[in-house]
Amino acid sequence: MVISHNERNTPHYLPRPELLGRILAHRDTPDVKVIIGVRRCGKSTALAMFADALAADGVPEQNLFYKRFDAFDVPLDYDAADLHEELIRATGEADEAYPFTVMLDEIQDVPGWEKVVRRLHTREHTDVYITGSNANLLSSDLATYLTGRYIEIPSFPLSFGEYLGFSRNLTDAPERSDDDLLAEYLLYGGMPGLFALRTRTAETIGAELRDIYRSILFKDVAQRYGIRDLDGLEKLSRFLFSTSGSLFSARNVANTLTSAGHPISTGTVTSQVEALRHAFLLYRAEQEGMQGKTVLRPLSKYYPVDNGFRGLVTGFSPRDVGAKLECAVYMELIRRGYAVSIGTSDKAEIDFIASRMESGGTRKLYIQVTASLLDETTRAREFAPLLALTDAFPRLIVTLDPYSAGISDEGITVVNAKDWLLHDER
């Protein structure tokens, strides 16, 4: 494999076949493949897995060019001209009987990278893959040069199914039930780096998540967008994590932070929230009227990309299990390719309206999320907005309650969260 300055150093990675499969599905297609997601969610490992798969399939090493740009040994002044020069040398050594595969990891750290990728795209028998930790990689920089010539492959922290697989691969870990691992997953999240820790305690997990969080906040948010008030940015992100699942008002948040001794304007709150979203640290669900009704001035809810970040700012409190479950369900819907909004009417709210395009048309789900349905008042509250719906799309309640699973007389499916998180309905 052609490697310059840094090496593909992931000899002990645990497999993520679903993510690898999504990448392999676009192998040798003319589009530039853009793998995007929050920093440290596994994009680098995905490229390493892909490179190994190609090598195992007989692609010569000299036809695989891999470079990671956030590695320690990449020169600080490395730029597009340096990359172009390396690629010229590498292509001269390639076997022309095979495509030349280029894998550029965390490419946004290289000034002028877009022009190099554009030239690669014009080269025959060249297959290009890039990763990045900011949505602007697609929304502005790359789109300018490659309009209609790239495909986005989203990458996320571990799903619960992947978390179980990783946990089962820990040779020195005691045997634990799926329910125990789900409780751990809701508390600590699924950032893959947690499984590289020698010992996994609240202290070591907290230290690892804190390192990841600060790297994202300062490198992918503050540095990229020129935000100088780092203390205010951190206070805002921590506030959003701890209140995830609550309706968001930039004005109210600005007033809350100002009252707490950190003056901030509504406009600054809005722009910083967008910066956090572009770094994939936050995801948004906007209000949508039920039964096709329009919502005037809709509000939004925000969810952290991983429950570990919520746990980090709440001291890994065992409380608010329902909020943790709501975040996990939301991110699983995003992982499964749904667009997610909040169902709103004058009298009620549905946690999520999820929709995605499929071969037979639009698939749509109405979903309520609750820790338990054993209390009759809670049960009535969760069922009421679903019962008010008049269309035929599936209605679902996801709960940690193991005793309420089944289908109600009205056709509402109640499913245990563990089972739902493990089984994509596709």
Side-chain angles (χ1 to χ4, degrees), residues 46-81:
L47 277 189
M49 290 190 298
F50 177 63
D52 286 347
L54 294 183
D57 197 36
V59 178
E61 290 289 316
Q62 65 267 30
N63 283 57
L64 302 176
F65 181 98
Y66 172 95
K67 192 170 184 67
R68 181 171 178 174
F69 296 102
D70 63 350
F72 175 76
D73 53 357
V74 174
L76 296 176
D77 59 350
Y78 189 93
D79 61 16

Side-chain angles (χ1 to χ4, degrees), residues 229-278:
D229 183 8
L230 301 181
D231 184 51
L233 177 64
E234 185 165 10
K235 281 184 169 61
L236 173 62
S237 64
R238 293 172 70 89
F239 178 85
L240 289 167
F241 292 161
S242 63
T243 60
S244 62
S246 301
L247 286 173
F248 171 85
S249 163
R251 179 175 298 176
N252 291 344
V253 172
N255 291 339
T256 298
L257 293 177
T258 298
S259 299
H262 198 99
I264 188 170
S265 70
T266 300
T268 298
V269 168
T270 300
S271 63
Q272 290 188 1
V273 168
E274 286 304 293
L276 292 167
R277 285 185 60 232
H278 286 155

Side-chain angles (χ1 to χ4, degrees), residues 182 186 321-330 332-333 336 350-352 354 365-373 378 382-383 386 395-402 404-406 412-423 425:
L182 176 58
L186 293 179
V321 176
K324 297 185 185 77
L325 178 60
E326 185 176 328
C327 180
V329 169
Y330 172 84
E332 183 61 27
L333 287 168
R336 293 178 184 182
I350 292 177
D351 288 330
F352 301 126
L365 300 172
Y366 296 105
I367 300 177
Q368 292 284 74
V369 182
T370 183
S372 175
L373 285 173
T378 301
E382 299 297 333
F383 268 75
L386 296 178
R395 294 166 291 169
L396 182 70
I397 297 178
V398 180
T399 179
L400 293 169
D401 174 4
S404 301
I412 296 173
T413 300
V414 180
V415 62
N416 181 261
K418 177 185 65 178
D419 297 329
W420 184 83
L421 289 168
L422 288 175
H423 298 103
E425 70 283 359

